Amino acid sequence: MLLVDDYRHSREGLRDAFVTVGWLVETAGDSWQAVRRIRDGGFDVAVIDLDLPPVHGVAMSGWDLVRICRVFHPETPIVVVSADGSPEAGVLAEHLMVAKVLVKPIDIDELKVAVRSAERDVKAARTL
């Protein structure tokens, strides 16, 4: 799993929650780290926080990372986390084939269910 969140405490807490149930988790604390991890691949699911700050003066949103992930790994399930629960965000998520949008504050159990479900759906589609 790739976990992208700029807030260290959230990133580490989420990583620990998934590691304790057997997931291998790679993390990225900013957009540029995420791009490198996405390019290198090797993850079954991506969890991306949409609310990322600029890095080195360059703004790259979580939506940009979703698009980049789609280019490198079109079948990778993506769960996004955002403070924006607007209908527009839902439309964009559908357009970019995002498996699930969770609105902050998130519930860790809900996130675990979303990740498991997204991974199951992709595995089922591959067997068809």
Side-chain angles (χ1 to χ4, degrees), residues 3-101:
L3 176 62
V4 182
D5 193 323
D6 64 302
Y7 186 61
R8 184 176 57 89
H9 295 294
S10 292
R11 186 175 63 249
E12 290 175 359
L14 292 172
R15 180 199 62 215
D16 292 348
F18 279 98
V19 166
T20 60
V21 294
W23 282 82
L24 297 174
V25 180
E26 291 186 49
T27 63
D30 63 45
S31 304
W32 295 109
Q33 289 176 9
V35 168
R36 285 192 298 273
R37 302 276 190 298
I38 289 168
R39 182 194 62 211
D40 295 342
F43 47 89
D44 296 325
V45 178
V47 176
I48 299 174
D49 183 356
L50 297 180
D51 309 312
L52 298 171
V55 177
H56 305 296
V58 178
M60 185 181 309
S61 74
W63 289 121
D64 295 323
L65 292 178
V66 170
R67 288 180 184 95
I68 291 167
C69 191
R70 284 284 162 254
V71 169
F72 282 95
H73 309 285
E75 295 180 5
T76 297
I78 301 171
V79 175
V80 296
V81 177
S82 177
D84 181 10
S86 71
E88 293 82 15
V91 170
L92 186 53
E94 186 176 331
H95 175 72
L96 294 172
M97 299 177 295
V98 168
K100 182 79 173 176
V101 177

